[in-house]
Amino acid sequence: QPKYFLTFRGSLRQDDPLRAELKKSFDGYSKQHPDMQVHLSPYGADVPDYWELFDTAYALVPRNGTRWSYRFGEALGACAIPVLLADGWTLPFANIINWSEASMRIAEVN
């Protein structure tokens, strides 16, 4: 049984409206729901307890302004279900892995 239900820790960048919305949505929420840890810090700030967040059932994977994110690989490496917040991504090995059964996608507009 993982310690957390849902996790994400990352940096808050001015050019990323999705992460700003995540911060707004989850600010204070983690205090009320300790099994859901979503923290965004100013870019370049220390991210404490980063490795502890790999003990999770679901891992948020927001788009980072490119066509790929290393967060996806981190989620898989943690044996967590990736929750993709990225429109238009083509996932690796899509011809042999049915990602709709192994991940979740949430449209960026939601």
Side-chain angles (χ1 to χ4, degrees), residues 77-88:
C79 297
I81 298 168
V83 180
L84 304 168
L85 302 169
D87 299 336

Side-chain angles (χ1 to χ4, degrees), residues 51-70:
W51 294 107
E52 184 179 279
L53 297 179
F54 285 103
D55 189 7
T56 186
Y58 296 88
L60 287 179
V61 181
R63 184 165 74 97
N64 65 356
T66 65
R67 296 195 61 210
W68 182 248
S69 172
Y70 65 88

Side-chain angles (χ1 to χ4, degrees), residues 20-61:
E21 190 61 36
L22 277 176
K23 181 167 177 54
K24 186 171 123 183
S25 297
F26 281 97
D27 248 3
Y29 194 82
S30 295
K31 290 178 185 165
Q32 298 170 2
H33 302 277
D35 63 333
M36 296 181 78
Q37 295 293 314
V38 177
H39 300 281
L40 289 114
S41 304
Y43 186 74
D46 246 356
V47 182
D49 303 323
Y50 176 77
W51 294 107
E52 184 179 279
L53 297 179
F54 285 103
D55 189 7
T56 186
Y58 296 88
L60 287 179
V61 181

